[in-house]
Amino acid sequence: MNDANILDKPGIHQQIEEKSKEIGFTMPSDLYIGTILKTLITSKPKAHLLELGTGIGLSLSWMVDGMDAHSELITVDNDPELTGIAEQYFGNDERVSIVCADGSKWINEYKGSKFDLIFADAWPGKYSEIEEVLALVKVGGFYIIDDMTAQPNWPKGHQEHVNRLVEYLENRSDFNLTKLNWSTGLIIAARSS
């Protein structure tokens, strides 16, 4: 099996990759993360989805590709340049809401329904507001985080944040956890109760 042979990239992915290089965006999502997001979202028809950390929209392209016609996705990022670019690619998709806001503030003010899947790819929802975000996952829903293995762009001391987060998730009795030393390091947690 060759897991590098990725045949089902979203049609728009190449354009977003090129835009990422053009603007010098240095934190693009890994292809492998995209494939697993698409697969998990495909398992959730009529899904209510959340992405924290839109970035330039690479992982969003995979998430949208896995959604059915009745699913909806909210993606949140605090960078107006990046959310503006994401709007160019996804703004006409009625299933997608792109929110430019401080993630911590958005999480604390959100009053809507719980989510079938949350992909936390930003500080808020991963290293802050973790209790609040996990409370937003439906029973049977997924909480997914990446970049759990050391990355070359990590600031000094970041490993300690990762270690605390992993330990915290391991000690939760209401989520079943799978830790994968694959791609950039991935944790998939499913709410059990």
Side-chain angles (χ1 to χ4, degrees), residues 116-132:
D116 294 291
L117 181 145
I118 297 174
F119 175 47
D121 195 22
W123 192 274
K126 196 185 231 181
Y127 300 109
S128 67
E129 288 77 39
I130 185 72
E131 288 279 342
E132 293 84 354

Side-chain angles (χ1 to χ4, degrees), residues 113-182:
S113 58
K114 293 186 177 189
F115 295 94
D116 294 291
L117 181 145
I118 297 174
F119 175 47
D121 195 22
W123 192 274
K126 196 185 231 181
Y127 300 109
S128 67
E129 288 77 39
I130 185 72
E131 288 279 342
E132 293 84 354
V133 165
L134 292 178
L136 293 175
V137 179
K138 291 180 185 177
V139 172
F142 296 110
Y143 170 76
I144 302 165
I145 51 177
D146 64 348
D147 300 329
M148 292 288 101
T149 55
Q151 304 296 310
N153 62 346
W154 278 6
K156 185 176 181 182
H158 186 71
Q159 185 66 52
E160 295 166 20
H161 296 292
V162 172
N163 294 346
R164 278 194 300 273
L165 176 59
V166 171
E167 182 180 4
Y168 171 79
L169 291 170
E170 288 172 337
N171 287 308
R172 296 272 309 213
S173 61
D174 54 345
F175 280 84
N176 290 322
L177 206 65
T178 297
K179 298 173 285 185
L180 299 168
N181 283 320
W182 173 78

Side-chain angles (χ1 to χ4, degrees), residues 5-192:
N5 188 21
I6 299 171
L7 302 175
D8 62 345
K9 280 187 191 176
I12 201 162
H13 195 272
Q14 182 64 38
Q15 292 175 48
I16 300 172
E17 277 187 320
E18 288 169 9
K19 186 68 172 178
S20 181
K21 290 174 188 164
E22 177 187 319
I23 68 165
F25 183 67
T26 59
M27 298 186 308
S29 296
D30 185 77
L31 282 176
Y32 294 110
I33 301 302
T35 64
I36 204 155
L37 286 170
K38 180 178 175 179
T39 298
L40 292 174
I41 287 170
T42 301
S43 78
K44 300 285 185 184
K46 298 180 184 175
H48 185 52
L49 310 163
L50 175 63
E51 177 185 40
L52 296 167
T54 312
I56 197 164
L58 285 168
S59 58
L60 179 58
S61 71
W62 287 96
M63 295 174 79
V64 168
D65 222 39
M67 292 167 59
D68 67 14
H70 305 287
S71 293
E72 55 186 22
L73 184 149
I74 301 168
T75 183
V76 181
D77 200 291
N78 66 353
D79 186 322
E81 180 185 5
L82 297 179
T83 55
I85 292 169
E87 279 284 348
Q88 293 172 21
Y89 295 110
F90 303 101
N92 292 329
D93 191 330
E94 293 180 2
R95 302 170 302 164
V96 178
S97 298
I98 300 168
V99 178
C100 184
D102 174 83
S104 296
K105 186 175 184 207
W106 186 91
I107 291 164
N108 286 305
E109 293 178 354
Y110 177 76
K111 301 293 184 232
S113 58
K114 293 186 177 189
F115 295 94
D116 294 291
L117 181 145
I118 297 174
F119 175 47
D121 195 22
W123 192 274
K126 196 185 231 181
Y127 300 109
S128 67
E129 288 77 39
I130 185 72
E131 288 279 342
E132 293 84 354
V133 165
L134 292 178
L136 293 175
V137 179
K138 291 180 185 177
V139 172
F142 296 110
Y143 170 76
I144 302 165
I145 51 177
D146 64 348
D147 300 329
M148 292 288 101
T149 55
Q151 304 296 310
N153 62 346
W154 278 6
K156 185 176 181 182
H158 186 71
Q159 185 66 52
E160 295 166 20
H161 296 292
V162 172
N163 294 346
R164 278 194 300 273
L165 176 59
V166 171
E167 182 180 4
Y168 171 79
L169 291 170
E170 288 172 337
N171 287 308
R172 296 272 309 213
S173 61
D174 54 345
F175 280 84
N176 290 322
L177 206 65
T178 297
K179 298 173 285 185
L180 299 168
N181 283 320
W182 173 78
S183 179
T184 63
L186 184 67
I187 294 179
I188 302 173
R191 181 177 276 286
S192 58

